[in-house]
Amino acid sequence: MNNELTLSCLRVENFRRTVNGKETALYILRNKTGFELTVTNYGAKTVSLTLPDRNGNRTDVVTGHDSIDDYLTSEEPYFGAVCGRYANRIANARFTLDGREYRLAANNGPNCLHGGIKGFHAVVWEVKRVDDRSIELMYVSADGEEGFPGTLTTTVTYTLTDNGEMVIGYHATTDRPTVLNLTNHSYFNLSGAGDPYIGDHRLIINADYYLPTDETSIPLGAPEKVEGTPMDFRTAHEVGERIRADFKPLIIGRGYDHTFLLNGKAAGEPAFAARCSSPKTGIVMDLFTTEPGMQLYTGNWMTGNLRGKNGRRYPRQSALCFETQHYPDSPNRPDYPGVVLRPGEVFESQTICKFSTESI
């Protein structure tokens, strides 16, 4: 079906390519309440997430591209991707594990970002299972890939439920000690992908502390209280309300690009992390996770230069990322929650994005 279209007007044929000798495609998940999630096995990326707004209008709430060709050349390589082997940053692109130093690619100033030059976002995953509601993808990262030790086998599962949830599950094992931090890097705009600014979105984050960073976005160390600062989202605030405040962390990041230390994490059970809503569409997203942290990123480096889905442009701060994960630079911070995975151990993590609508 070369002319098959998704609800978000994606042409399925544009995702059938061969990348590094492996076939890519677009997979469509739907539920009985009008939701549609599309995923490509290139980077295990969410390409579109279309759902009804308060008036029943179909609204695609994540940014992305119309084809694999555009993803391969995008200035935003993390659109919708699973990031690994280590999401976020590792300082000076090096860490020591069991007495041995490992050197990584410095692809973000002096630091290693999102697994290096060819992290999990830039490889073709194997589709292990797919049906109308769920897809399971697997990637085997070779020992030494991007400088990381151990052969790591990772699976990610996307599930679309009938009660409005996108559930993302992760599972990983290794044959040698390694470090691991996985996240999904979807860029959300609940007013619709292509809406020019997320400053009017109302946001709650269930966190009493955040991690200040240096000029290269590496945590300085000890957490600081959000209380009395523009980082305090314990009660609802518009995202743009304080984003240009005279506050050093926001000046360094050109907006929000910080890890929040989530409250209320129950062992193995997803806990409430955040709530975000758009006044334009009434779409609400509640976020739950088993992870200890969440990186809030407000698209501060988006330029509007690239062509997104259906010809839309994505200017600066036209999307929000909620990257549930462990803390940045944890391999070099013994005081942070551990990120070492050893043979015989199983890494498991889950994040749930639950969507609903509210009236004006």
Side-chain angles (χ1 to χ4, degrees):
M1 297 178 63
N2 291 347
N3 294 320
E4 183 180 358
L5 289 176
T6 69
L7 296 181
S8 54
C9 298
L10 295 170
R11 193 169 297 280
V12 173
E13 176 63 21
N14 291 342
F15 290 83
R16 296 190 180 113
R17 294 289 183 271
T18 301
V19 179
N20 296 326
K22 297 180 179 180
E23 299 301 313
T24 66
L26 187 71
Y27 300 88
I28 305 170
L29 311 180
R30 293 187 176 121
N31 71 6
K32 67 181 181 182
T33 57
F35 285 50
E36 180 190 80
L37 171 65
T38 67
V39 175
T40 178
N41 59 324
Y42 176 69
K45 300 174 194 278
T46 56
V47 178
S48 66
L49 178 55
T50 305
L51 55 138
D53 70 5
R54 67 159 70 96
N55 298 315
N57 299 314
R58 291 174 180 169
T59 305
D60 181 4
V61 297
V62 296
T63 63
H65 292 293
D66 288 326
S67 70
I68 287 295
D69 295 339
D70 286 342
Y71 277 103
L72 290 171
T73 58
S74 179
E75 66 180 36
E76 293 287 345
Y78 307 114
F79 274 163
V82 169
C83 294
R85 174 176 312 194
Y86 198 93
N88 217 310
R89 295 167 178 87
I90 295 177
N92 299 311
R94 66 183 65 184
F95 67 93
T96 300
L97 176 60
D98 295 341
R100 178 177 172 181
E101 183 180 77
Y102 295 90
R103 299 191 175 218
L104 314 170
N107 63 326
N108 184 246
N111 308 317
C112 182
L113 174 66
H114 292 326
I117 295 169
K118 194 177 180 182
F120 288 4
H121 67 285
V123 298
V124 179
W125 294 58
E126 179 184 353
V127 178
K128 299 296 290 183
R129 177 184 55 80
V130 63
D131 57 36
D132 291 344
R133 304 293 179 88
S134 184
I135 183 170
E136 180 182 309
L137 305 112
M138 182 182 76
Y139 180 66
V140 179
S141 175
D143 181 25
E145 185 173 290
E146 290 294 324
F148 291 95
T151 300
L152 181 78
T153 301
T154 301
T155 60
V156 58
T157 304
Y158 293 101
T159 303
L160 197 59
T161 72
D162 284 333
N163 62 343
E165 295 173 334
M166 177 177 68
V167 182
I168 309 173
Y170 306 92
H171 179 282
T173 58
T174 184
D175 66 353
R176 286 181 57 198
T178 192
V179 296
L180 178 66
N181 189 27
L182 300 172
T183 196
N184 174 270
H185 210 306
S186 290
Y187 285 63
F188 290 96
N189 188 317
L190 302 183
S191 298
D195 185 87
Y197 186 50
I198 42 74
D200 62 348
H201 283 40
R202 292 185 65 78
L203 178 62
I204 294 172
I205 300 177
N206 185 25
D208 296 331
Y209 291 87
Y210 77 102
L211 294 176
T213 66
D214 65 16
E215 299 284 345
T216 70
S217 297
I218 292 295
L220 297 174
E224 290 190 4
K225 289 184 177 181
V226 301
E227 184 176 3
T229 77
M231 315 302 283
D232 191 350
F233 285 96
R234 292 175 299 173
T235 57
H237 288 269
E238 288 189 352
V239 172
E241 179 182 334
R242 301 164 298 178
I243 199 168
R244 312 218 192 289
D246 185 15
F247 184 64
K248 187 174 181 180
L250 292 178
I251 295 170
I252 290 174
R254 301 181 74 219
Y256 294 100
D257 191 8
H258 300 84
T259 298
F260 288 79
L261 281 56
L262 299 173
N263 299 330
K265 181 178 180 294
E269 294 296 324
F272 174 68
R275 165 174 271 224
C276 188
S277 62
S278 163
K280 294 178 181 176
T281 61
I283 294 173
V284 179
M285 181 176 74
D286 288 297
L287 196 70
F288 304 84
T289 187
T290 56
E291 289 295 301
M294 183 187 78
Q295 185 89 359
L296 172 66
Y297 174 56
T298 48
N300 310 318
W301 299 97
M302 300 170 78
T303 66
N305 293 332
L306 59 80
R307 185 178 66 85
K309 288 175 291 186
N310 304 306
R312 303 300 296 269
R313 302 283 174 171
Y314 306 132
R316 182 185 177 203
Q317 295 175 346
S318 62
L320 285 161
C321 301
F322 303 97
E323 303 162 58
T324 54
Q325 57 186 267
H326 276 58
Y327 307 163
D329 201 33
S330 289
N332 296 311
R333 306 278 186 170
D335 51 323
Y336 288 177
V339 293
V340 176
L341 183 67
R342 298 185 181 277
E345 298 177 343
V346 176
F347 171 86
E348 290 187 308
S349 177
Q350 187 180 75
T351 292
I352 300 170
C353 303
K354 182 175 176 58
F355 296 90
S356 59
T357 58
E358 61 185 5
S359 58
I360 298 175

